[in-house]
């Protein structure tokens, strides 16, 4: 059993100390003792209060770490062992994202910067790292012109996969390259672009979603959805979620319909649009862009852009 040098003073039965009620009302407790004759019972109470807490804290350190709490006049070892006795403290949160097409990082809520935005260097005292990867959302499909009485539809974009992983310091290593997946880009009257993968080195990868397809010049009522799921995240040893398409684009009649809502990511849903309108771009990380639905008056439409991915790294002591 580890040794604890910090012992309680005046803690015995019948000790010469004033009562707690007297101590609470003692003027010297707030103002400090003034010059004159010292009253031992008052001083003993002060020393007992501080020594009890010192003894309890030192015993906590010894019990949790198995190390001695030695009264050698220094604080370095005691402080180091105190930190070891309370593992799990959150040290830092780094959020990697794309802003204006540039990969950036925000540390503990500070303003995003491009400095250090592509490589995460682990803190030296971090013992546990939690990573969260959201793949980028894909773009919704575009649509071409429709003949009178017909409709054309582009399916909505699919959200990217999402994964959560935990690593100890050795498994994570000193640093890892961070990649934030770029959003799928829409193409007029064509299949929407796929979303890019987000990753933490080779430890975990969350693929992006698949672009929405085109379904042109068909009689209503008809629909066009983005079926299936994205590829699964790899290396996600805590949780893995596959991205999906949203609600299908609908051509209910030659005079009405709706562009399907983009697939929802772990960070929120994708958008939808009204009839005869270009697609709406995703605003939530990893969600899909909207699809489109048009008739002969809608011309050629472009689907909505997907949402860029995001990578979050949490470090714990």
């Amino acid at each position: 059993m580890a040794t604890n040098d910090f012992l309680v003073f005046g803690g015995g039965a019948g000790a010469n100390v004033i009562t707690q009620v007297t101590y609470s009302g003692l003027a010297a407790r707030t103002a400090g003792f003034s010059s004159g004759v010292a009253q031992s019972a008052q001083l003993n109470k002060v020393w007992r209060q501080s020594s009890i807490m010192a003894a309890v804290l030192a015993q906590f350190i010894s019990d949790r770490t198995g190390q001695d709490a030695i009264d050698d006049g220094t604080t370095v070892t005691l402080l180091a062992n105190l930190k070891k006795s309370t593992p799990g403290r959150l040290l830092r949160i780094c959020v990697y994202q794309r802003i204006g097409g540039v990969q950036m990082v925000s540390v503990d809520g500070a303003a995003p910067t491009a400095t250090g935005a592509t490589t995460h260097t682990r803190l030296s005292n971090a013992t546990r790292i939690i990573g969260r990867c959201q793949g980028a959302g894909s773009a919704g499909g575009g649509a071409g012109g429709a003949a009178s009485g017909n409709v054309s539809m582009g399916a909505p974009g699919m959200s990217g996969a999402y994964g959560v992983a935990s690593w100890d310091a050795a498994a994570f290593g000193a640093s890892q390259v961070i990649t934030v997946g770029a959003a799928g880009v829409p193409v007029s009257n064509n299949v929407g672009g796929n979303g890019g993968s987000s990753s933490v080195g080779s430890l975990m990868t969350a693929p992006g979603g698949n672009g929405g397809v085109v379904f042109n010049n068909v009689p209503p009522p008809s629909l066009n959805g983005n079926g299936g799921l994205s590829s699964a995240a790899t290396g996600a040893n805590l949780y893995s979620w596959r991205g999906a398409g949203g609600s299908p684009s609908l051509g209910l009649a030659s005079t009405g319909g709706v562009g399907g809502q983009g697939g929802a990511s772990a960070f929120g849903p994708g958008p939808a649009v009204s009839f005869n309108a270009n697609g709406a771009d995703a605003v939530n990380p990893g969600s899909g862009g909207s699809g489109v639905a048009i008739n002969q008056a809608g011309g050629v439409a472009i689907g909505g852009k997907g949402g860029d991915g995001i990578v979050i790294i949490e470090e714990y002591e």
Side-chain angles (χ1 to χ4, degrees):
M1 183 175 179
T3 299
N4 175 14
D5 283 352
F6 295 85
L7 307 177
V8 175
F9 175 85
N16 178 31
V17 295
I18 58 177
T19 65
Q20 185 63 26
V21 173
T22 302
Y23 183 60
S24 297
L26 187 66
R29 188 176 58 81
T30 55
F33 291 110
S34 56
S35 59
V37 178
Q39 296 190 28
S40 60
Q42 293 179 1
L43 294 175
N44 289 340
K45 177 66 171 180
V46 174
W47 292 329
R48 184 171 77 167
Q49 287 236 326
S50 58
S51 69
I52 285 176
M53 290 309 299
V56 168
L57 181 58
Q59 193 61 52
F60 176 81
I61 294 172
S62 294
D63 290 346
R64 292 296 295 269
T65 66
Q67 301 297 313
D68 294 338
I70 303 299
D71 181 12
D72 59 2
T74 65
T75 60
V76 175
T77 302
L78 285 170
L79 179 59
N81 288 337
L82 175 60
K83 291 180 178 179
K84 291 178 182 178
S85 68
T86 55
R89 180 172 64 96
L90 178 62
L91 299 173
R92 181 173 67 169
I93 300 177
C94 297
V95 178
Y96 296 85
Q97 55 191 323
R98 289 184 178 273
I99 300 176
V102 178
Q103 186 166 312
M104 306 189 82
V105 61
S106 174
V107 180
D108 291 334
T113 175
T115 303
T118 57
T119 301
H120 184 89
T121 300
R122 176 178 57 83
L123 295 174
S124 60
N125 58 332
T127 62
R128 176 62 52 183
I129 298 90
I130 303 295
R132 306 174 191 276
C133 280
Q134 172 66 63
S138 66
S148 178
N150 283 352
V151 292
S152 292
M153 293 158 295
M158 179 184 291
S159 59
Y162 177 69
V164 184
S166 172
W167 308 283
D168 61 23
F172 187 86
S175 64
Q176 291 291 333
V177 174
I178 303 297
T179 300
V180 177
V185 178
V187 181
S188 179
N189 190 23
N190 210 330
V191 176
N194 294 337
S197 296
S198 296
S199 60
V200 179
S202 60
L203 298 177
M204 178 170 59
T205 299
N210 301 318
V213 298
V214 180
F215 197 19
N216 278 339
N217 199 30
V218 294
S222 191
L223 58 83
N224 184 13
N226 195 343
L229 301 170
S230 73
S231 298
T234 59
N237 56 32
L238 291 183
Y239 178 76
S240 180
W241 181 82
R242 297 173 70 175
S247 58
S249 296
L250 302 175
L252 301 175
S254 62
T255 56
V258 63
Q261 184 176 21
S265 73
F267 294 86
V273 293
S274 58
F275 198 55
N276 280 350
N278 285 324
D281 296 342
V283 294
N284 292 315
S287 59
S290 80
V292 296
I294 61 173
N295 63 9
Q296 74 275 9
V300 176
I302 186 171
K305 182 181 179 181
D308 291 320
I310 191 170
V311 175
I312 301 174
I313 301 293
E314 303 168 9
E315 295 176 87
Y316 296 85
E317 192 172 50

